[in-house]
Amino acid sequence: VKIAVDAMGGDFAPGEIVKGALQAAREYKQAIILVGDEEKVLAELGSDYPVELISIVHAPEVIAMGEHPAVAVRRKKNSSIVRATQLVKDGKASALVSAGSTGAAMASALLGLGRIKGIDRPAIAGVLPSEKGYTVLLDVGANVDCKPHNLQQFSVMGYLYAKRVLGIANPRVGLLSNGEEETKGSEVTLAAYPLLQQAGINFVGNIEGRDIFRGTVDVAVCDGFIGNIVLKAGEGIAGALYKTLKEEINKSWAAKIGIVMAIKALNRFKKRIDYAEYGGAPLLGVNGVSIICHGSSTAKALKNGIRVAMESVDNCLVDAILESISQTEISEGVGGELAKRSV
Amino acid sequence: VKIAVDAMGGDFAPGEIVKGALQAAREYKQAIILVGDEEKVLAELGSDYPVELISIVHAPEVIAMGEHPAVAVRRKKNSSIVRATQLVKDGKASALVSAGSTGAAMASALLGLGRIKGIDRPAIAGVLPSEKGYTVLLDVGANVDCKPHNLQQFSVMGYLYAKRVLGIANPRVGLLSNGEEETKGSEVTLAAYPLLQQAGINFVGNIEGRDIFRGTVDVAVCDGFIGNIVLKAGEGIAGALYKTLKEEINKSWAAKIGIVMAIKALNRFKKRIDYAEYGGAPLLGVNGVSIICHGSSTAKALKNGIRVAMESVDNCLVDAILESISQTEISEGVGGELAKRSV
């Protein structure tokens, strides 16, 4: 089992990416294929790296953040993301990990790997820290405007991810809304509600924004427009709180000394709220494991993204989704009908 | 100038409400009319209160959280929220403040005060703490599904609120989206974008979730479904972070001692991130000043809500919106057209 890593994607590529891949190779004894400009990758690897675990596939082209994803993916066959995806398609790698353009990773997966039968639209599943562990939030950006049956499919994929990869026995799935009552919601979520009830998952009903971080559910379902805003708002508020705390501490000597004494506790705190700790966001619904990491991924984040990829492969995530979707009557049946009627 | 306070609304009513009203009366020398069950209000007031500043209007009925707002408001003419609204309509009070059911406060304002001419839907403006001060987020729950021209009107009202009441010279207004580029957005926000450009405000374009808390804008515009989710997610994450921090600190003696030394800094931190510090959320777009406070408002939150009401009255917020809306060509003109075409 090998993992393909897009060595050229991300704000700190290839330096941090190669470093993270090396850490993962050593720590997990994981075979990794670094896909990117061979010369640059070799320069980052240096002379002392585990040659039995690290191989390189040369891919000189790069897709920049500003490029139109679908167009760029079609044109740049020798870009690192397209070549990494191709390795998965050809069975030469079991999964791919990229911190490059999310749009390019998505377009590349859709074109190269294709959708799982029965899934109309793949979703990106963000894994956010909560009071009690982690909450899977999906979609966090793959689809802007969603139909009710899309939300139903997301709920099944999120449920399976939480169960298989996070190891939660019977994950609680909530539909993100503006109130807990069944009567609350937008046109789309009101129509999605009965579909989630029929999805064969542990659907607990509507949830509010605060539930994501309180850990009252394991999976929170929403469209990609809302999920993206909530994900980034969460990042923003965590950053703002940490900065504010530091500012206030720096105002007094007693506080500074006190904080030195509490530094271990603060570091544990920081670790628990750190997005990089979980690693990447899986792109669910495509025929293969594709993990999308934050653009500003450090070596640690990348290493954790590789861990997530390994866990997804080990737990046969793609097969589980395929099986579950084919068994439950979703999307084309009641879902499609209701969607057409109400939106 | 008198402020009407719904003494019976809120989780801790009438105790905390009356206490907050008393604090505001004393601290701001503000005349206040407490609207509610006279006997209960008098019991909370005790014998030593400033009779020259506090008066009572008896309103024995209460609208509970579960009741249908519009129905309850029509039926219960002697409920505290309906009587408080009536005082504003009759010119006996200049503003009202309530921590009761948001739906009832809205229905009561719409029926009792009516909409400002040119505003199709009022919006609730949440004022959230950011790294640099405050960010106005609207709508945070009055309207679930919005049309592009609704967002345009929200942007004008939010701009005027930030300018008049928060005292920001030329507030920067952003449209909440899933990316900064003009091409990013949902069907509704993409159609709203040009309308905000034409709204005669300082529109800075699309913003992301993180910008709300970083203070890169003064006003963030979205529909009430998204705004409500983001507001509550923000509350949830702030609460979760504080709890996590405390848990980690309690694990070690050194940390506990350290934190005692840093306690003032931590308290300043807590104060800066405390939602109650700002007070209430103004309901913008109705013919009068109506401030909606959090259901779990303490005396401090209520006092701050009264301060917000006073500032809104002093700065002629309602007149400013009326004037601005009648001057700029919005809603019926380009806005309405575009809205019809694209949604």
Side-chain angles (χ1 to χ4, degrees), chain A residues 10 58 90 113 117 126 132 145 183 189 217 258 295:
Chain A
H58 184 53
D90 297 344
L113 307 174
K117 199 170 171 292
K132 287 162 192 165
D145 292 291
T183 53
T189 65
V217 289

Side-chain angles (χ1 to χ4, degrees), chain B residues 28-311:
Chain B
Y28 311 134
K29 306 280 167 241
Q30 172 62 49
I32 286 165
I33 309 172
L34 286 166
V35 186
D37 186 303
E38 191 166 18
E39 206 174 312
K40 286 180 186 161
V41 171
L42 276 171
E44 295 293 340
L45 279 171
S47 54
D48 178 35
Y49 69 91
V51 284
E52 73 285 4
L53 290 174
I54 302 274
S55 54
I56 302 172
V57 164
H58 184 53
E61 288 178 299
V62 173
I63 295 179
M65 294 305 278
E67 291 186 74
H68 191 286
V71 175
V73 161
R74 278 197 177 83
R75 275 197 206 138
K76 297 186 169 172
K77 300 284 180 208
N78 275 319
S79 62
S80 52
I81 183 69
V82 172
R83 292 298 302 271
T85 311
Q86 193 64 36
L87 289 172
V88 176
K89 194 187 178 184
D90 298 344
K92 289 174 184 159
S94 307
L96 76 129
V97 178
S98 175
S101 148
T102 301
M106 270 199 39
S108 181
L110 279 169
L111 286 168
L113 308 174
R115 288 176 287 126
I116 290 176
K117 198 170 173 289
I119 296 291
D120 295 302
R121 296 200 200 171
I124 301 173
V127 184
L128 279 64
S130 80
E131 273 179 34
K132 287 162 192 165
Y134 289 107
T135 303
V136 179
L137 176 70
L138 80 170
D139 174 25
V140 294
N143 312 280
V144 169
D145 292 290
C146 287
K147 298 268 185 270
H149 73 277
N150 297 135
L151 298 183
Q152 187 195 33
Q153 295 174 2
F154 298 170
S155 74
V156 174
M157 297 194 290
Y159 175 82
L160 288 170
Y161 187 78
K163 187 170 179 160
R164 292 274 178 143
V165 182
L166 299 183
I168 299 161
N170 189 22
R172 295 155 302 170
V173 181
L175 181 60
L176 201 53
S177 186
N178 59 328
E180 286 179 5
E181 304 89 335
E182 196 177 332
T183 53
K184 291 267 187 170
S186 65
E187 279 185 39
V188 173
T189 66
L190 286 171
Y193 196 102
L195 303 186
L196 267 69
Q197 287 180 310
Q198 298 155 23
I201 56 171
N202 181 16
F203 177 52
V204 299
N206 283 337
I207 55 165
E208 300 187 310
R210 60 173 73 96
D211 294 307
I212 303 168
F213 302 101
R214 283 190 181 162
T216 39
V217 290
D218 304 298
V219 180
V221 176
C222 60
D223 71 42
F225 186 71
I226 293 171
N228 191 271
I229 290 171
V230 169
L231 180 78
K232 287 174 182 165
E235 274 184 41
I237 199 166
L241 288 176
Y242 204 76
K243 205 173 152 187
T244 308
L245 181 61
K246 263 169 79 179
E247 268 176 31
E248 292 302 338
I249 285 165
N250 281 330
K251 282 183 188 166
S252 97
W253 280 103
K256 279 193 210 170
I257 296 166
I259 288 306
V260 170
M261 296 179 73
I263 197 73
K264 276 189 194 163
L266 288 180
N267 284 341
R268 284 194 306 267
F269 166 67
K270 207 181 163 190
K271 191 173 165 168
R272 275 177 64 178
I273 67 164
D274 186 0
Y275 277 62
E277 280 299 320
Y278 185 74
L283 176 63
L284 302 177
V286 292
N287 269 315
V289 173
S290 169
I291 307 296
I292 296 171
C293 293
H294 203 291
S296 61
S297 284
T298 57
K300 183 177 74 173
L302 210 282
K303 185 193 82 175
N304 284 325
I306 293 172
R307 195 203 69 237
V308 171
M310 291 164 58
E311 288 167 354

